[in-house]
Amino acid sequence: MPALPATTAASTGVVDPVATGPATLLALTAGSVPLADSLAWIAIGAFVVAMVLKWRGAVGPARYLAAGAWVVFGLFWLTMVPHYYLEVKSPIETLLALAALPLCAYTSYLLVRGRESLLLLSNAVAFMGLIYLPVETVPVVRTWLIETTASQTHFGMELLGHSPGLTEGNNGYVSKFAFDPDETVTGRTTYIITACTGIGSMAIFGGLIAAVKAPLKRKTVAFALAIGVIWFLNLVRNVFIGLASPWGWFQQDVLVSVVTEFMGAPADRTSYIVAHNFIAQSLSIVALLGITYLVVRILPEVLEPLEEVLYILTGTEYDLADALGKAERPADSSAATASDAASDTGRSAAPDVTDPDIDPESASGSEPNDD
């Protein structure tokens, strides 16, 4: 949830966003469109075209176009570093954004060198973007998603005995939890933004599931499971941050000292930063690993793009299916499907083949619940 400007803090209390989204990036713009958004659309557009070229059999052009898309994608994440470091104050997101450019550049290099199997991972990123970007950039969709998430989060608070009501947040949506600043410990409250909706995590799994070749029934079951678990855990997260911030659950002296001296944040923002940036984000990584395991049990085909991620990170080939005791494909996967999947990865026995809720509105009153 994002922070309200200082001019409104006196009457409404300090507000923090529950999630951070890439929609706004300081003052960098390309025309009237934020630079980050422009780079994201260019990268995803190139990934989609590369996917179409691959489907039409133009593997060479697809590899080179996807290679260029990866470089642009890395630049997108680089532009997000100031936002995550200066505004969100999230060490985890800052480090991931910094690491993205060299990793994306290496992926581009591998594609140029002929590693066709990376086209499957590129397809997954294309689908991820097609799921996420419309939500981020189409106002009516964004409004519905944010306000629905805020309403559901408020219901969760009511189950725990808190009913602050909802009012308009600094982002213009009815997504701010209207705690009375005179009755809470910190005088702060939070509001929901796009990243608080869980759409980012949903896009990741949706992209992976959409990109692989497998029977539609299993893909549908895996998608429903992933989305359902993400939705539930995201609401739990929002409720946790939304209550921890105003009621000062983490206002202990040692934590206040860390936040004020090492992060330069106001003392009354400590509970929000600890709940959101440290506890929630760390547990989100654990949750994503758990969801991945559940999805793999239903749809082991998603191991293929994950193996490519591990190769990029380590330079070593992995057989995750064998490691997880799933060396054989499910019975409903035909030999043709297995053959097609092998073709998609571009792997060959030939020895000479070379083989990722706070609006950047300043912290003076309310913060978004960040992912």
Side-chain angles (χ1 to χ4, degrees), residues 183-221:
E183 295 181 359
T184 57
V185 174
T186 64
R188 303 186 75 92
T189 188
T190 55
Y191 65 93
I192 300 293
I193 62 171
T194 305
C196 314
T197 64
I199 187 62
S201 298
M202 293 178 187
I204 290 173
F205 284 97
L208 288 171
I209 293 168
V212 300
K213 291 184 178 180
L216 180 59
K217 180 179 179 180
R218 286 196 291 110
K219 293 177 73 168
T220 301
V221 172

Side-chain angles (χ1 to χ4, degrees), residues 51 54 75 80 99 113 116 130 146 175 206 228 271 312 322 332 339 342 345-347 354:
M51 179 168 57
K54 172 64 168 56
L75 291 174
M80 296 303 300
R113 289 293 301 272
E116 293 178 16
L130 291 176
I146 289 174
S175 64
S271 286
I312 293 168
D322 183 60
D332 56 357
S339 176
T345 62
R347 289 177 180 159
T354 57

